[in-house]
Amino acid sequence: MIQILPVPAERLPTFCREKGLQSPAPLRGYTACQGDCSLGWCLVAQGEPCLVLGVEAEDSLLADGLLRGALFPLYEGGARQYRFAAPAAAPLPERYVTAGCGELSELFAPCCQKEEKG
């Protein structure tokens, strides 16, 4: 079974150093693993827009799950946009805006609202 778990707050500075990333605070980090095997990770800095510092995963669905896990609490807390600090190292679903700012509401709007738009 694949698990997507938050990186504990006390481990985030070390996690950032391991990934070669600057660690602006506050951060959210998530890892995906299957047993002891790491399948991916994501780091996001809180702000407006939220800054995706990095995401790596074996496929686009796993990258999507990692990003949603990291971004949703920020969206619930009032953040409205996100942007990538650098090109994503993982394949991403088409709905993600990777150049410039993307709208978090486009990622988290209820399915019925998305259907009404299309």
mmCIF file of all heavy atoms in Angstrom, residues 39-73:
data_model
loop_
_atom_site.group_PDB
_atom_site.id
_atom_site.type_symbol
_atom_site.label_atom_id
_atom_site.label_comp_id
_atom_site.label_asym_id
_atom_site.label_seq_id
_atom_site.Cartn_x
_atom_site.Cartn_y
_atom_site.Cartn_z
ATOM 1 N N LEU A 39 8.871 6.707 -2.761
ATOM 2 C CA LEU A 39 8.332 6.858 -4.111
ATOM 3 C C LEU A 39 8.255 8.308 -4.573
ATOM 4 O O LEU A 39 8.030 8.570 -5.748
ATOM 5 C CB LEU A 39 6.930 6.245 -4.190
ATOM 6 C CG LEU A 39 6.815 4.767 -3.830
ATOM 7 C CD1 LEU A 39 5.362 4.338 -3.827
ATOM 8 C CD2 LEU A 39 7.634 3.916 -4.776
ATOM 9 N N GLY A 40 8.404 9.249 -3.635
ATOM 10 C CA GLY A 40 8.338 10.650 -4.021
ATOM 11 C C GLY A 40 8.251 11.566 -2.821
ATOM 12 O O GLY A 40 8.141 11.115 -1.681
ATOM 13 N N TRP A 41 8.300 12.872 -3.103
ATOM 14 C CA TRP A 41 8.224 13.891 -2.061
ATOM 15 C C TRP A 41 7.755 15.210 -2.658
ATOM 16 O O TRP A 41 7.786 15.398 -3.872
ATOM 17 C CB TRP A 41 9.578 14.072 -1.360
ATOM 18 C CG TRP A 41 10.681 14.494 -2.296
ATOM 19 C CD1 TRP A 41 11.496 13.666 -3.025
ATOM 20 C CD2 TRP A 41 11.054 15.826 -2.640
ATOM 21 N NE1 TRP A 41 12.357 14.402 -3.794
ATOM 22 C CE2 TRP A 41 12.114 15.738 -3.569
ATOM 23 C CE3 TRP A 41 10.616 17.087 -2.261
ATOM 24 C CZ2 TRP A 41 12.724 16.864 -4.110
ATOM 25 C CZ3 TRP A 41 11.231 18.212 -2.803
ATOM 26 C CH2 TRP A 41 12.266 18.091 -3.711
ATOM 27 N N CYS A 42 7.344 16.118 -1.771
ATOM 28 C CA CYS A 42 6.896 17.447 -2.169
ATOM 29 C C CYS A 42 7.179 18.407 -1.020
ATOM 30 O O CYS A 42 6.969 18.067 0.141
ATOM 31 C CB CYS A 42 5.404 17.417 -2.470
ATOM 32 S SG CYS A 42 4.693 19.017 -2.858
ATOM 33 N N LEU A 43 7.655 19.609 -1.334
ATOM 34 C CA LEU A 43 7.862 20.678 -0.346
ATOM 35 C C LEU A 43 7.196 21.947 -0.837
ATOM 36 O O LEU A 43 7.372 22.346 -1.995
ATOM 37 C CB LEU A 43 9.351 20.958 -0.148
ATOM 38 C CG LEU A 43 10.097 20.063 0.811
ATOM 39 C CD1 LEU A 43 11.592 20.312 0.717
ATOM 40 C CD2 LEU A 43 9.617 20.258 2.228
ATOM 41 N N VAL A 44 6.419 22.577 0.030
ATOM 42 C CA VAL A 44 5.680 23.794 -0.304
ATOM 43 C C VAL A 44 5.871 24.808 0.813
ATOM 44 O O VAL A 44 5.784 24.463 1.993
ATOM 45 C CB VAL A 44 4.168 23.486 -0.472
ATOM 46 C CG1 VAL A 44 3.371 24.739 -0.725
ATOM 47 C CG2 VAL A 44 3.953 22.490 -1.591
ATOM 48 N N ALA A 45 6.141 26.066 0.443
ATOM 49 C CA ALA A 45 6.260 27.152 1.415
ATOM 50 C C ALA A 45 4.954 27.935 1.451
ATOM 51 O O ALA A 45 4.361 28.235 0.410
ATOM 52 C CB ALA A 45 7.415 28.082 1.054
ATOM 53 N N GLN A 46 4.515 28.256 2.650
ATOM 54 C CA GLN A 46 3.295 29.039 2.835
ATOM 55 C C GLN A 46 3.536 30.456 2.359
ATOM 56 O O GLN A 46 4.625 31.000 2.490
ATOM 57 C CB GLN A 46 2.933 29.043 4.314
ATOM 58 C CG GLN A 46 1.629 29.729 4.631
ATOM 59 C CD GLN A 46 1.280 29.572 6.102
ATOM 60 O OE1 GLN A 46 1.670 28.604 6.748
ATOM 61 N NE2 GLN A 46 0.551 30.526 6.620
ATOM 62 N N GLY A 47 2.530 31.083 1.816
ATOM 63 C CA GLY A 47 2.610 32.466 1.352
ATOM 64 C C GLY A 47 1.543 32.713 0.309
ATOM 65 O O GLY A 47 0.687 31.875 0.062
ATOM 66 N N GLU A 48 1.580 33.870 -0.293
ATOM 67 C CA GLU A 48 0.647 34.194 -1.368
ATOM 68 C C GLU A 48 1.437 34.788 -2.515
ATOM 69 O O GLU A 48 1.894 35.910 -2.422
ATOM 70 C CB GLU A 48 -0.418 35.173 -0.884
ATOM 71 C CG GLU A 48 -1.533 35.402 -1.873
ATOM 72 C CD GLU A 48 -2.311 34.129 -2.216
ATOM 73 O OE1 GLU A 48 -2.740 33.402 -1.328
ATOM 74 O OE2 GLU A 48 -2.446 33.869 -3.419
ATOM 75 N N PRO A 49 1.675 34.037 -3.552
ATOM 76 C CA PRO A 49 1.214 32.672 -3.762
ATOM 77 C C PRO A 49 2.043 31.659 -2.958
ATOM 78 O O PRO A 49 3.174 31.945 -2.567
ATOM 79 C CB PRO A 49 1.432 32.467 -5.262
ATOM 80 C CG PRO A 49 2.593 33.335 -5.598
ATOM 81 C CD PRO A 49 2.453 34.537 -4.700
ATOM 82 N N CYS A 50 1.484 30.480 -2.730
ATOM 83 C CA CYS A 50 2.237 29.374 -2.122
ATOM 84 C C CYS A 50 3.344 29.004 -3.102
ATOM 85 O O CYS A 50 3.140 29.029 -4.314
ATOM 86 C CB CYS A 50 1.350 28.155 -1.928
ATOM 87 S SG CYS A 50 -0.104 28.447 -0.929
ATOM 88 N N LEU A 51 4.496 28.687 -2.587
ATOM 89 C CA LEU A 51 5.644 28.373 -3.436
ATOM 90 C C LEU A 51 5.943 26.879 -3.372
ATOM 91 O O LEU A 51 6.259 26.348 -2.308
ATOM 92 C CB LEU A 51 6.859 29.178 -2.968
ATOM 93 C CG LEU A 51 8.113 29.061 -3.806
ATOM 94 C CD1 LEU A 51 7.867 29.573 -5.224
ATOM 95 C CD2 LEU A 51 9.244 29.855 -3.150
ATOM 96 N N VAL A 52 5.813 26.204 -4.511
ATOM 97 C CA VAL A 52 6.163 24.792 -4.603
ATOM 98 C C VAL A 52 7.669 24.733 -4.807
ATOM 99 O O VAL A 52 8.176 25.093 -5.872
ATOM 100 C CB VAL A 52 5.413 24.079 -5.750
ATOM 101 C CG1 VAL A 52 5.840 22.624 -5.843
ATOM 102 C CG2 VAL A 52 3.909 24.206 -5.571
ATOM 103 N N LEU A 53 8.393 24.330 -3.765
ATOM 104 C CA LEU A 53 9.851 24.289 -3.824
ATOM 105 C C LEU A 53 10.363 23.095 -4.613
ATOM 106 O O LEU A 53 11.414 23.167 -5.242
ATOM 107 C CB LEU A 53 10.434 24.265 -2.412
ATOM 108 C CG LEU A 53 10.108 25.490 -1.568
ATOM 109 C CD1 LEU A 53 10.523 25.268 -0.130
ATOM 110 C CD2 LEU A 53 10.792 26.711 -2.142
ATOM 111 N N GLY A 54 9.639 22.007 -4.556
ATOM 112 C CA GLY A 54 10.049 20.827 -5.297
ATOM 113 C C GLY A 54 9.017 19.724 -5.190
ATOM 114 O O GLY A 54 8.310 19.625 -4.193
ATOM 115 N N VAL A 55 8.958 18.916 -6.232
ATOM 116 C CA VAL A 55 8.112 17.726 -6.224
ATOM 117 C C VAL A 55 8.781 16.688 -7.125
ATOM 118 O O VAL A 55 9.206 17.000 -8.228
ATOM 119 C CB VAL A 55 6.661 18.022 -6.680
ATOM 120 C CG1 VAL A 55 6.612 18.613 -8.073
ATOM 121 C CG2 VAL A 55 5.794 16.789 -6.590
ATOM 122 N N GLU A 56 8.930 15.501 -6.593
ATOM 123 C CA GLU A 56 9.463 14.379 -7.359
ATOM 124 C C GLU A 56 8.577 13.171 -7.093
ATOM 125 O O GLU A 56 8.213 12.907 -5.949
ATOM 126 C CB GLU A 56 10.896 14.047 -6.943
ATOM 127 C CG GLU A 56 11.910 15.063 -7.383
ATOM 128 C CD GLU A 56 13.339 14.657 -7.066
ATOM 129 O OE1 GLU A 56 13.570 13.484 -6.679
ATOM 130 O OE2 GLU A 56 14.219 15.505 -7.193
ATOM 131 N N ALA A 57 8.234 12.463 -8.164
ATOM 132 C CA ALA A 57 7.404 11.265 -8.036
ATOM 133 C C ALA A 57 7.573 10.435 -9.295
ATOM 134 O O ALA A 57 7.980 10.950 -10.340
ATOM 135 C CB ALA A 57 5.946 11.638 -7.831
ATOM 136 N N GLU A 58 7.211 9.160 -9.179
ATOM 137 C CA GLU A 58 7.357 8.245 -10.305
ATOM 138 C C GLU A 58 6.334 8.492 -11.408
ATOM 139 O O GLU A 58 6.580 8.177 -12.551
ATOM 140 C CB GLU A 58 7.264 6.808 -9.813
ATOM 141 C CG GLU A 58 8.426 6.430 -8.925
ATOM 142 C CD GLU A 58 8.388 4.976 -8.487
ATOM 143 O OE1 GLU A 58 7.471 4.238 -8.910
ATOM 144 O OE2 GLU A 58 9.272 4.598 -7.727
ATOM 145 N N ASP A 59 5.173 9.033 -11.056
ATOM 146 C CA ASP A 59 4.157 9.287 -12.076
ATOM 147 C C ASP A 59 3.317 10.501 -11.704
ATOM 148 O O ASP A 59 3.418 11.024 -10.597
ATOM 149 C CB ASP A 59 3.283 8.055 -12.330
ATOM 150 C CG ASP A 59 2.489 7.621 -11.112
ATOM 151 O OD1 ASP A 59 1.844 8.474 -10.467
ATOM 152 O OD2 ASP A 59 2.504 6.420 -10.801
ATOM 153 N N SER A 60 2.491 10.934 -12.643
ATOM 154 C CA SER A 60 1.717 12.157 -12.451
ATOM 155 C C SER A 60 0.658 12.020 -11.364
ATOM 156 O O SER A 60 0.353 12.987 -10.667
ATOM 157 C CB SER A 60 1.078 12.607 -13.765
ATOM 158 O OG SER A 60 0.139 11.661 -14.214
ATOM 159 N N LEU A 61 0.079 10.836 -11.194
ATOM 160 C CA LEU A 61 -0.943 10.660 -10.160
ATOM 161 C C LEU A 61 -0.349 10.776 -8.763
ATOM 162 O O LEU A 61 -0.953 11.389 -7.874
ATOM 163 C CB LEU A 61 -1.652 9.314 -10.330
ATOM 164 C CG LEU A 61 -2.471 9.153 -11.601
ATOM 165 C CD1 LEU A 61 -3.043 7.754 -11.697
ATOM 166 C CD2 LEU A 61 -3.570 10.199 -11.672
ATOM 167 N N LEU A 62 0.831 10.236 -8.563
ATOM 168 C CA LEU A 62 1.489 10.339 -7.273
ATOM 169 C C LEU A 62 1.925 11.784 -7.017
ATOM 170 O O LEU A 62 1.754 12.307 -5.918
ATOM 171 C CB LEU A 62 2.683 9.389 -7.202
ATOM 172 C CG LEU A 62 3.347 9.247 -5.849
ATOM 173 C CD1 LEU A 62 2.359 8.870 -4.756
ATOM 174 C CD2 LEU A 62 4.466 8.208 -5.930
ATOM 175 N N ALA A 63 2.457 12.455 -8.032
ATOM 176 C CA ALA A 63 2.829 13.866 -7.894
ATOM 177 C C ALA A 63 1.600 14.699 -7.536
ATOM 178 O O ALA A 63 1.666 15.582 -6.671
ATOM 179 C CB ALA A 63 3.466 14.376 -9.187
ATOM 180 N N ASP A 64 0.477 14.421 -8.173
ATOM 181 C CA ASP A 64 -0.773 15.121 -7.888
ATOM 182 C C ASP A 64 -1.177 14.914 -6.429
ATOM 183 O O ASP A 64 -1.529 15.860 -5.723
ATOM 184 C CB ASP A 64 -1.863 14.617 -8.833
ATOM 185 C CG ASP A 64 -3.182 15.352 -8.679
ATOM 186 O OD1 ASP A 64 -3.168 16.591 -8.506
ATOM 187 O OD2 ASP A 64 -4.228 14.687 -8.742
ATOM 188 N N GLY A 65 -1.123 13.681 -5.937
ATOM 189 C CA GLY A 65 -1.482 13.397 -4.546
ATOM 190 C C GLY A 65 -0.578 14.110 -3.559
ATOM 191 O O GLY A 65 -1.042 14.654 -2.553
ATOM 192 N N LEU A 66 0.718 14.142 -3.840
ATOM 193 C CA LEU A 66 1.663 14.848 -2.969
ATOM 194 C C LEU A 66 1.375 16.346 -2.946
ATOM 195 O O LEU A 66 1.345 16.976 -1.885
ATOM 196 C CB LEU A 66 3.103 14.583 -3.426
ATOM 197 C CG LEU A 66 3.635 13.191 -3.144
ATOM 198 C CD1 LEU A 66 4.857 12.895 -4.006
ATOM 199 C CD2 LEU A 66 3.968 13.048 -1.663
ATOM 200 N N LEU A 67 1.168 16.934 -4.119
ATOM 201 C CA LEU A 67 0.879 18.367 -4.191
ATOM 202 C C LEU A 67 -0.434 18.713 -3.503
ATOM 203 O O LEU A 67 -0.521 19.691 -2.768
ATOM 204 C CB LEU A 67 0.849 18.838 -5.650
ATOM 205 C CG LEU A 67 2.214 19.004 -6.295
ATOM 206 C CD1 LEU A 67 2.087 19.112 -7.806
ATOM 207 C CD2 LEU A 67 2.931 20.212 -5.715
ATOM 208 N N ARG A 68 -1.454 17.918 -3.726
ATOM 209 C CA ARG A 68 -2.739 18.185 -3.082
ATOM 210 C C ARG A 68 -2.628 18.079 -1.568
ATOM 211 O O ARG A 68 -3.211 18.872 -0.832
ATOM 212 C CB ARG A 68 -3.806 17.232 -3.611
ATOM 213 C CG ARG A 68 -4.244 17.582 -5.008
ATOM 214 C CD ARG A 68 -5.160 16.495 -5.574
ATOM 215 N NE ARG A 68 -5.600 16.869 -6.882
ATOM 216 C CZ ARG A 68 -6.648 17.653 -7.142
ATOM 217 N NH1 ARG A 68 -7.379 18.126 -6.157
ATOM 218 N NH2 ARG A 68 -6.972 17.961 -8.375
ATOM 219 N N GLY A 69 -1.866 17.088 -1.082
ATOM 220 C CA GLY A 69 -1.667 16.947 0.354
ATOM 221 C C GLY A 69 -0.999 18.166 0.958
ATOM 222 O O GLY A 69 -1.359 18.616 2.054
ATOM 223 N N ALA A 70 -0.045 18.731 0.247
ATOM 224 C CA ALA A 70 0.688 19.896 0.751
ATOM 225 C C ALA A 70 -0.083 21.199 0.573
ATOM 226 O O ALA A 70 -0.043 22.078 1.436
ATOM 227 C CB ALA A 70 2.044 19.995 0.049
ATOM 228 N N LEU A 71 -0.808 21.341 -0.541
ATOM 229 C CA LEU A 71 -1.466 22.617 -0.852
ATOM 230 C C LEU A 71 -2.851 22.782 -0.222
ATOM 231 O O LEU A 71 -3.260 23.911 0.074
ATOM 232 C CB LEU A 71 -1.586 22.790 -2.371
ATOM 233 C CG LEU A 71 -0.278 23.012 -3.126
ATOM 234 C CD1 LEU A 71 -0.508 22.910 -4.624
ATOM 235 C CD2 LEU A 71 0.336 24.357 -2.748
ATOM 236 N N PHE A 72 -3.583 21.697 -0.019
ATOM 237 C CA PHE A 72 -4.955 21.829 0.463
ATOM 238 C C PHE A 72 -5.069 22.542 1.806
ATOM 239 O O PHE A 72 -5.924 23.431 1.949
ATOM 240 C CB PHE A 72 -5.678 20.483 0.501
ATOM 241 C CG PHE A 72 -7.138 20.628 0.825
ATOM 242 C CD1 PHE A 72 -8.004 21.202 -0.083
ATOM 243 C CD2 PHE A 72 -7.636 20.221 2.050
ATOM 244 C CE1 PHE A 72 -9.353 21.368 0.210
ATOM 245 C CE2 PHE A 72 -8.979 20.373 2.357
ATOM 246 C CZ PHE A 72 -9.842 20.949 1.437
ATOM 247 N N PRO A 73 -4.244 22.217 2.813
ATOM 248 C CA PRO A 73 -4.365 22.955 4.080
ATOM 249 C C PRO A 73 -4.095 24.455 3.912
ATOM 250 O O PRO A 73 -4.704 25.277 4.599
ATOM 251 C CB PRO A 73 -3.311 22.313 4.980
ATOM 252 C CG PRO A 73 -3.054 20.974 4.393
ATOM 253 C CD PRO A 73 -3.258 21.136 2.917
#
